[in-house]
Amino acid sequence: MPLPELLDHLKKTAALSQVAGLISWDQEAMMPKAGAAQRAEQAGALASVIHARNADPRIGEWVHGIDQSQLSDFDRRNVNEAKRSYDRATKIPPRLAEESARASSEGQRIWAQARAEKKFAGFVPALKRNIALKREAAACLAEDGADLYDCLLDEYEPGAKSADLFPLLESLRPPLVALREKIAGKAKPTPLTGHFPADQQLALAKRIAARIGYDFDAGRIDTVVHPFCSGNGGDVRITTRTDEADPLNCLYSTIHEVGHALYAQGAPDPYLPAADYCSMGVHESQSRFWENQIARSRLFADWLFPAMKEAFSDMNLDGPDALFAAVNRVETGFIRTEADEVHYNLHILLRFELERELIAGGLEAQDLEEAWNQRFERDFGIAVPDASLGVLQDVHWSLGLFGYFPTYSLGNIYAACLDRAMLKDLPGRDDMVRMAETQPILDWMREKIHIRGRVLSAPALIEEATGEKPTAAPLVSYLEAKFGALYDI
Amino acid sequence: MPLPELLDHLKKTAALSQVAGLISWDQEAMMPKAGAAQRAEQAGALASVIHARNADPRIGEWVHGIDQSQLSDFDRRNVNEAKRSYDRATKIPPRLAEESARASSEGQRIWAQARAEKKFAGFVPALKRNIALKREAAACLAEDGADLYDCLLDEYEPGAKSADLFPLLESLRPPLVALREKIAGKAKPTPLTGHFPADQQLALAKRIAARIGYDFDAGRIDTVVHPFCSGNGGDVRITTRTDEADPLNCLYSTIHEVGHALYAQGAPDPYLPAADYCSMGVHESQSRFWENQIARSRLFADWLFPAMKEAFSDMNLDGPDALFAAVNRVETGFIRTEADEVHYNLHILLRFELERELIAGGLEAQDLEEAWNQRFERDFGIAVPDASLGVLQDVHWSLGLFGYFPTYSLGNIYAACLDRAMLKDLPGRDDMVRMAETQPILDWMREKIHIRGRVLSAPALIEEATGEKPTAAPLVSYLEAKFGALYDI
């Protein structure tokens, strides 16, 4: 059986992909500015090499020559993932791949300018082009009668179908809108104010990261413009940023990235595709779980408040209750990335329904701004003042990323499912969170999610971990309970 | 003509080699320790890709199909360098390349242990193996009747022949031994003592680096165990280290690496082989020139002494004369990397003659320690107390690096040749050095050396820059003048 040859090929390709990830991290965190032109050449050359390896005709032969009935679940998944990336690499013609890469890079530039000028019209041609190219790519990948949007979604959420996802996500809208409306009439809690030196923020962020299980022997933290997590196995790096007027940005973005990092550090193998993360939705569930269910809980404030008092001499809040309220302030706003837990998924639902229609053809690019503004007002009750606060706020579509947005909400849904199941399995969890002694929480996540890799589909993995098929109910209950109590509803 | 295809291929390979350099920098400067195993896989996978590109049979066809008489000198060199790396990649069988890589990595481990135990015998089998493999590789590369050692030397010093190099380097021995002996009887200057905070050292090192022309927009400085310079074009990174009892190590190692970095930042193209550095000897001439001819001069002490006074409150020396004397203390010691300018080349001559004999077969590995100790005493007048201070001190041979050592002395010889010529061309140079306003010095070096790339051989480049064939005379005069004055000889 040609399995060893195939696995060796996959392993080397994965090692090269890790290098691609590393030079991308370096570009954001370390590279001097005059290095940009060479870095683009380097990344391009490496991407060509990786593409050629993914499209290597021997993969087709190896996969064909393997008797899958003889394989473990893990190796069957390795073979299927090899086939999946081989199909992606071979079904999309080089001309289309190159044009898409160029359209993505040019699209981002044009989008940035349009956003700065607050003029959607300037972005329309680039958006049209991205949609056309993505539809073409989806058509190359589509099996008989497959939905084009699903072919794009599949890249981020393997095997997911929007026919399942749409009702799941839509079921969030009524309760979230109701909750938003109830909160809108209530008094807002006192926000955190004071002066928070950057060094102290970073020191506290590192302390929290280590405390919740981030292994600094297998990672590092640096400062960048837009925080992210990169790498896997023994080298998983996170990044953060600081604002001396607002330490919560640094602390919670660090916790979010640590959530991703714990998943990556816990992978059962750093190279094989069956050991890779299950899906973007599951990845996001890990970051959201630590950020929201754990670190924005009233219990965690019992540990975090004194830790912040120790780190910052100038801070207006007087206790854990006030901190809990401040880190959970609800405010209707225009920007997704600044949204609270009540509003966040409404931002995603808006994008998900719009991008489905864009790919299906029911909505034309030039009509997107109007559609956005109408539906935004429907869900949020306020009118979008300009495109930079509306349809132009996110980079995704300018890069050709369609099918990515719903994974954010899937992450929130899965995080709440996992949270509910874990509470049953770990009766002492409240005390663990209150004292920030969270090792058993991490151990549970390692066993249920991290070491399972990509052997199962995301819904199957969540069902295995929780004993129930994933639904939006746990997320809705969690939000209603938390914000109901906070806002006295 | 297939020139554009060839150049495009070379450019992409160079971009991948830059990535290999970057991940090696990262390994020393940034990588968390648990990343080591994956990094080895990554580096190995990337090395295979680069090797396959260098051995691509199309290179042979392209080179064959190009009419060299139609080419500029620059492109002729590109073609010849492509042929040279193609020959290296194809003439050495994969089995030998793999075995050499393994022997190198195992050799280093065995060497480190033997050095720690101060037992040369423990290293002998690994050394034997490295010598045998290098002889085998050299035999694969050798054209009719070529000297095996020269085939190894050629990798570092393209086109150099040891029949020319040996007399050139040997001509240093009598005057250096004479100088060493004269100085031995003289009183030593006061060494620098005090407490020198690491942060202040780094700040001053950066100030000096920027002052002598290092472009921080195209580079960065980090701290590592063993300083080095990495990258080229728009991304040239240097590294240093600090010892709070001795700021000279940090300052002069930084200046040394800046010398390398200026050369790399000044390359006329970041990808093409004809634009690459001329040879290791010429590279070393750039680091040595800035470190020794400029920064260890009496003139530079006029600027450096007040700068150090400003940076360090606790420092024993009372003026530029004392600083000049302290940075040029001559002391007979066992370790090459700690050697002063008078002793340094004697260390190299010893290694050069021994490694030539090892490769030629006139000296057996097991007899190396005895040969080392005898010849060391001949040149240095003191007996080696143990192998860690003698034959086991350098890592090179454990890695299979034979032919590398002489390039250090070539660097010193070339630096002195360039220094002499530059003094004629720039009558105001003394004031430039005294005020550390060295832009015209860098401009001279850019024009004469940096932008010339690899179009000429090293001796031809030095002759073009200086108007004279390179000899050891300028180095000997420079050392006799400087140390003669300092030690009142």
Side-chain angles (χ1 to χ4, degrees), chain A residues 81-113:
Chain A
E81 285 292 308
K83 170 95 169 46
R84 193 163 155 267
S85 74
Y86 176 70
D87 284 348
R88 286 196 170 265
T90 52
K91 288 187 174 174
I92 295 176
R95 188 264 321 149
L96 178 58
E98 274 163 41
E99 208 178 325
S100 298
R102 203 164 44 241
S104 167
S105 131
E106 288 174 11
Q108 187 180 6
R109 193 177 46 72
I110 292 164
W111 162 79
Q113 200 186 329

Short mmCIF file of all heavy atoms in Angstrom, two decimals, chain A residues 81-113:
data_model
loop_
_atom_site.label_atom_id
_atom_site.label_comp_id
_atom_site.label_asym_id
_atom_site.label_seq_id
_atom_site.Cartn_x
_atom_site.Cartn_y
_atom_site.Cartn_z
N GLU A 81 -8.41 13.81 3.14
CA GLU A 81 -7.95 15.21 3.13
C GLU A 81 -6.92 15.42 2.01
O GLU A 81 -6.88 16.48 1.38
CB GLU A 81 -7.36 15.60 4.48
CG GLU A 81 -8.41 15.82 5.56
CD GLU A 81 -9.26 17.06 5.29
OE1 GLU A 81 -8.71 18.15 5.07
OE2 GLU A 81 -10.51 16.93 5.30
N ALA A 82 -6.09 14.41 1.79
CA ALA A 82 -5.13 14.51 0.68
C ALA A 82 -5.88 14.64 -0.64
O ALA A 82 -5.55 15.46 -1.50
CB ALA A 82 -4.23 13.27 0.65
N LYS A 83 -6.91 13.84 -0.78
CA LYS A 83 -7.74 13.88 -1.99
C LYS A 83 -8.43 15.25 -2.11
O LYS A 83 -8.49 15.84 -3.19
CB LYS A 83 -8.79 12.76 -1.87
CG LYS A 83 -9.90 12.77 -2.90
CD LYS A 83 -9.56 11.85 -4.07
CE LYS A 83 -10.74 11.59 -4.99
NZ LYS A 83 -11.50 12.76 -5.38
N ARG A 84 -8.89 15.76 -0.98
CA ARG A 84 -9.60 17.05 -0.99
C ARG A 84 -8.65 18.17 -1.44
O ARG A 84 -9.01 19.00 -2.28
CB ARG A 84 -10.14 17.31 0.43
CG ARG A 84 -11.12 18.41 0.55
CD ARG A 84 -11.89 18.30 1.89
NE ARG A 84 -12.39 19.60 2.27
CZ ARG A 84 -11.75 20.45 3.06
NH1 ARG A 84 -10.59 20.10 3.60
NH2 ARG A 84 -12.25 21.62 3.32
N SER A 85 -7.45 18.22 -0.88
CA SER A 85 -6.54 19.30 -1.28
C SER A 85 -6.02 19.07 -2.70
O SER A 85 -5.77 20.02 -3.44
CB SER A 85 -5.39 19.47 -0.27
OG SER A 85 -4.47 18.43 -0.40
N TYR A 86 -5.90 17.79 -3.08
CA TYR A 86 -5.50 17.48 -4.46
C TYR A 86 -6.56 17.97 -5.44
O TYR A 86 -6.24 18.58 -6.47
CB TYR A 86 -5.29 15.96 -4.58
CG TYR A 86 -4.96 15.47 -5.97
CD1 TYR A 86 -3.73 15.75 -6.54
CD2 TYR A 86 -5.88 14.71 -6.69
CE1 TYR A 86 -3.42 15.29 -7.82
CE2 TYR A 86 -5.57 14.25 -7.96
CZ TYR A 86 -4.35 14.54 -8.52
OH TYR A 86 -4.05 14.08 -9.78
N ASP A 87 -7.83 17.72 -5.11
CA ASP A 87 -8.91 18.19 -5.99
C ASP A 87 -8.89 19.72 -6.09
O ASP A 87 -8.99 20.28 -7.18
CB ASP A 87 -10.28 17.74 -5.44
CG ASP A 87 -10.53 16.26 -5.71
OD1 ASP A 87 -9.76 15.69 -6.52
OD2 ASP A 87 -11.46 15.70 -5.12
N ARG A 88 -8.76 20.38 -4.95
CA ARG A 88 -8.70 21.84 -4.98
C ARG A 88 -7.53 22.33 -5.82
O ARG A 88 -7.63 23.33 -6.52
CB ARG A 88 -8.56 22.42 -3.56
CG ARG A 88 -9.83 22.35 -2.76
CD ARG A 88 -9.84 23.25 -1.52
NE ARG A 88 -11.20 23.27 -0.98
CZ ARG A 88 -12.10 24.20 -1.26
NH1 ARG A 88 -11.79 25.24 -2.01
NH2 ARG A 88 -13.32 24.12 -0.78
N ALA A 89 -6.40 21.64 -5.72
CA ALA A 89 -5.20 22.09 -6.43
C ALA A 89 -5.26 21.77 -7.92
O ALA A 89 -4.62 22.46 -8.72
CB ALA A 89 -3.96 21.46 -5.81
N THR A 90 -6.01 20.74 -8.28
CA THR A 90 -5.99 20.33 -9.69
C THR A 90 -7.23 20.76 -10.46
O THR A 90 -7.18 20.94 -11.67
CB THR A 90 -5.84 18.79 -9.82
OG1 THR A 90 -6.85 18.17 -9.01
CG2 THR A 90 -4.48 18.33 -9.38
N LYS A 91 -8.35 20.91 -9.76
CA LYS A 91 -9.58 21.26 -10.49
C LYS A 91 -9.63 22.73 -10.86
O LYS A 91 -10.32 23.13 -11.78
CB LYS A 91 -10.80 20.89 -9.66
CG LYS A 91 -11.03 19.38 -9.58
CD LYS A 91 -12.36 19.06 -8.90
CE LYS A 91 -12.64 17.57 -8.95
NZ LYS A 91 -13.85 17.22 -8.17
N ILE A 92 -8.94 23.56 -10.07
CA ILE A 92 -8.91 24.99 -10.39
C ILE A 92 -7.73 25.25 -11.31
O ILE A 92 -6.58 25.02 -10.92
CB ILE A 92 -8.82 25.82 -9.10
CG1 ILE A 92 -10.12 25.60 -8.31
CG2 ILE A 92 -8.60 27.29 -9.40
CD1 ILE A 92 -10.15 26.28 -6.98
N PRO A 93 -8.00 25.69 -12.54
CA PRO A 93 -6.88 25.87 -13.48
C PRO A 93 -5.90 26.95 -12.99
O PRO A 93 -6.32 27.91 -12.33
CB PRO A 93 -7.56 26.30 -14.78
CG PRO A 93 -8.96 26.65 -14.44
CD PRO A 93 -9.29 26.06 -13.12
N PRO A 94 -4.62 26.80 -13.30
CA PRO A 94 -3.59 27.75 -12.85
C PRO A 94 -3.95 29.19 -13.19
O PRO A 94 -3.74 30.11 -12.39
CB PRO A 94 -2.33 27.31 -13.59
CG PRO A 94 -2.56 25.88 -13.93
CD PRO A 94 -4.02 25.69 -14.07
N ARG A 95 -4.53 29.39 -14.39
CA ARG A 95 -4.90 30.74 -14.82
C ARG A 95 -5.87 31.36 -13.83
O ARG A 95 -5.74 32.50 -13.39
CB ARG A 95 -5.52 30.62 -16.22
CG ARG A 95 -5.81 31.90 -16.95
CD ARG A 95 -7.25 32.42 -16.83
NE ARG A 95 -8.27 31.39 -16.86
CZ ARG A 95 -9.44 31.48 -16.22
NH1 ARG A 95 -9.73 32.54 -15.50
NH2 ARG A 95 -10.31 30.50 -16.29
N LEU A 96 -6.86 30.58 -13.39
CA LEU A 96 -7.86 31.07 -12.44
C LEU A 96 -7.25 31.31 -11.06
O LEU A 96 -7.56 32.31 -10.39
CB LEU A 96 -9.02 30.06 -12.35
CG LEU A 96 -10.15 30.39 -11.37
CD1 LEU A 96 -10.79 31.74 -11.69
CD2 LEU A 96 -11.22 29.29 -11.41
N ALA A 97 -6.36 30.43 -10.64
CA ALA A 97 -5.71 30.59 -9.34
C ALA A 97 -4.88 31.87 -9.32
O ALA A 97 -4.92 32.65 -8.37
CB ALA A 97 -4.83 29.37 -9.04
N GLU A 98 -4.14 32.08 -10.41
CA GLU A 98 -3.32 33.30 -10.48
C GLU A 98 -4.18 34.56 -10.50
O GLU A 98 -3.89 35.54 -9.81
CB GLU A 98 -2.45 33.29 -11.74
CG GLU A 98 -1.14 32.55 -11.55
CD GLU A 98 -0.51 32.19 -12.89
OE1 GLU A 98 -0.55 33.04 -13.81
OE2 GLU A 98 -0.01 31.06 -13.02
N GLU A 99 -5.23 34.51 -11.31
CA GLU A 99 -6.09 35.69 -11.41
C GLU A 99 -6.77 35.98 -10.06
O GLU A 99 -6.92 37.13 -9.67
CB GLU A 99 -7.15 35.45 -12.51
CG GLU A 99 -7.60 36.74 -13.16
CD GLU A 99 -8.62 36.48 -14.27
OE1 GLU A 99 -8.50 35.44 -14.96
OE2 GLU A 99 -9.54 37.30 -14.42
N SER A 100 -7.14 34.92 -9.36
CA SER A 100 -7.77 35.10 -8.05
C SER A 100 -6.79 35.72 -7.06
O SER A 100 -7.16 36.59 -6.27
CB SER A 100 -8.26 33.75 -7.51
OG SER A 100 -9.23 33.21 -8.37
N ALA A 101 -5.55 35.25 -7.09
CA ALA A 101 -4.55 35.79 -6.18
C ALA A 101 -4.33 37.28 -6.46
O ALA A 101 -4.26 38.10 -5.55
CB ALA A 101 -3.24 35.02 -6.31
N ARG A 102 -4.27 37.61 -7.76
CA ARG A 102 -4.07 39.01 -8.12
C ARG A 102 -5.29 39.85 -7.74
O ARG A 102 -5.18 40.94 -7.18
CB ARG A 102 -3.78 39.12 -9.62
CG ARG A 102 -3.03 40.37 -10.02
CD ARG A 102 -2.42 40.27 -11.42
NE ARG A 102 -3.33 39.70 -12.38
CZ ARG A 102 -3.12 38.57 -13.06
NH1 ARG A 102 -2.00 37.91 -12.87
NH2 ARG A 102 -4.00 38.12 -13.92
N ALA A 103 -6.47 39.30 -8.01
CA ALA A 103 -7.71 40.03 -7.69
C ALA A 103 -7.83 40.25 -6.18
O ALA A 103 -8.33 41.28 -5.73
CB ALA A 103 -8.92 39.25 -8.20
N SER A 104 -7.35 39.29 -5.43
CA SER A 104 -7.41 39.40 -3.97
C SER A 104 -6.49 40.52 -3.49
O SER A 104 -6.89 41.37 -2.69
CB SER A 104 -6.99 38.05 -3.38
OG SER A 104 -6.73 38.15 -2.03
N SER A 105 -5.29 40.54 -4.01
CA SER A 105 -4.34 41.55 -3.55
C SER A 105 -4.74 42.95 -4.06
O SER A 105 -4.72 43.93 -3.31
CB SER A 105 -2.94 41.13 -3.98
OG SER A 105 -2.26 42.16 -4.61
N GLU A 106 -5.18 43.03 -5.32
CA GLU A 106 -5.65 44.33 -5.82
C GLU A 106 -6.95 44.75 -5.13
O GLU A 106 -7.17 45.92 -4.84
CB GLU A 106 -5.87 44.26 -7.33
CG GLU A 106 -4.56 44.20 -8.10
CD GLU A 106 -4.75 43.97 -9.61
OE1 GLU A 106 -5.90 44.08 -10.10
OE2 GLU A 106 -3.74 43.71 -10.27
N GLY A 107 -7.83 43.75 -4.90
CA GLY A 107 -9.11 44.04 -4.25
C GLY A 107 -8.90 44.67 -2.88
O GLY A 107 -9.58 45.63 -2.51
N GLN A 108 -7.92 44.16 -2.15
CA GLN A 108 -7.68 44.71 -0.82
C GLN A 108 -7.22 46.17 -0.89
O GLN A 108 -7.64 47.01 -0.10
CB GLN A 108 -6.62 43.87 -0.10
CG GLN A 108 -6.47 44.30 1.35
CD GLN A 108 -5.43 43.49 2.09
OE1 GLN A 108 -4.74 42.67 1.51
NE2 GLN A 108 -5.32 43.74 3.38
N ARG A 109 -6.39 46.46 -1.86
CA ARG A 109 -5.90 47.82 -2.04
C ARG A 109 -7.07 48.76 -2.40
O ARG A 109 -7.24 49.83 -1.81
CB ARG A 109 -4.84 47.82 -3.15
CG ARG A 109 -4.02 49.07 -3.27
CD ARG A 109 -2.93 48.94 -4.35
NE ARG A 109 -3.39 48.36 -5.62
CZ ARG A 109 -4.16 48.99 -6.51
NH1 ARG A 109 -4.57 50.22 -6.29
NH2 ARG A 109 -4.52 48.39 -7.63
N ILE A 110 -7.88 48.32 -3.35
CA ILE A 110 -9.00 49.15 -3.80
C ILE A 110 -10.01 49.34 -2.66
O ILE A 110 -10.52 50.44 -2.43
CB ILE A 110 -9.68 48.49 -5.03
CG1 ILE A 110 -8.72 48.55 -6.22
CG2 ILE A 110 -11.00 49.17 -5.36
CD1 ILE A 110 -9.10 47.62 -7.36
N TRP A 111 -10.25 48.27 -1.92
CA TRP A 111 -11.17 48.34 -0.78
C TRP A 111 -10.66 49.35 0.26
O TRP A 111 -11.44 50.16 0.77
CB TRP A 111 -11.29 46.95 -0.15
CG TRP A 111 -11.83 46.95 1.24
CD1 TRP A 111 -13.14 47.08 1.61
CD2 TRP A 111 -11.09 46.85 2.46
NE1 TRP A 111 -13.26 47.05 2.97
CE2 TRP A 111 -12.01 46.92 3.52
CE3 TRP A 111 -9.74 46.71 2.76
CZ2 TRP A 111 -11.62 46.84 4.85
CZ3 TRP A 111 -9.35 46.65 4.08
CH2 TRP A 111 -10.28 46.71 5.12
N ALA A 112 -9.37 49.30 0.56
CA ALA A 112 -8.82 50.20 1.58
C ALA A 112 -9.03 51.65 1.16
O ALA A 112 -9.36 52.52 1.98
CB ALA A 112 -7.34 49.91 1.81
N GLN A 113 -8.83 51.89 -0.13
CA GLN A 113 -9.03 53.27 -0.61
C GLN A 113 -10.50 53.66 -0.56
O GLN A 113 -10.86 54.75 -0.10
CB GLN A 113 -8.50 53.38 -2.05
CG GLN A 113 -8.22 54.82 -2.43
CD GLN A 113 -7.84 54.94 -3.90
OE1 GLN A 113 -7.26 54.01 -4.46
NE2 GLN A 113 -8.18 56.07 -4.51
#
